[in-house]
């Protein structure tokens, strides 16, 4: 996928986002270990879920 073609890039990005919408980062990394996360936006509900998942 080449970023020199923004329309092609955006079509593929939208497809990837739709396919991975309900997956957690761990699942995504298993499928694509070279994935780079540049930022995570978490609301309080998401933080509460992480707390319940990892601090039981």
């Amino acid at each position: 996928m080449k970023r020199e073609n923004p329309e092609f890039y955006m079509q593929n990005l939208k497809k990837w986002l739709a396919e991975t919408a309900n997956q957690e980062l761990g699942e995504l990394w298993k499928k694509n270990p070279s994935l780079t996360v540049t930022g995570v936006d978490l609301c309080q509900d998401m933080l509460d879920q992480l707390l319940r998942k990892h601090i039981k």
Side-chain angles (χ1 to χ4, degrees):
M1 175 172 27
K2 293 192 175 198
R3 291 184 187 202
E4 291 84 27
N5 184 341
E7 185 177 324
F8 177 77
Y9 176 76
M10 290 305 295
Q11 287 173 350
N12 282 286
L13 178 62
K14 287 177 185 177
K15 180 182 176 205
W16 182 82
L17 289 172
E19 290 172 354
T20 60
N22 294 318
Q23 295 181 2
E24 292 187 18
L25 282 176
E27 295 174 51
L28 297 174
W29 271 314
K30 287 177 187 175
K31 292 180 181 178
N32 186 355
S34 64
L35 183 70
T36 301
V37 177
T38 58
V40 178
D41 186 10
L42 298 174
C43 66
Q44 189 60 51
D45 288 343
M46 295 169 91
L47 290 170
D48 292 342
Q49 287 181 23
L50 285 170
L51 184 64
R52 286 191 300 272
K53 179 178 178 180
H54 296 286
I55 311 292
K56 275 193 166 185

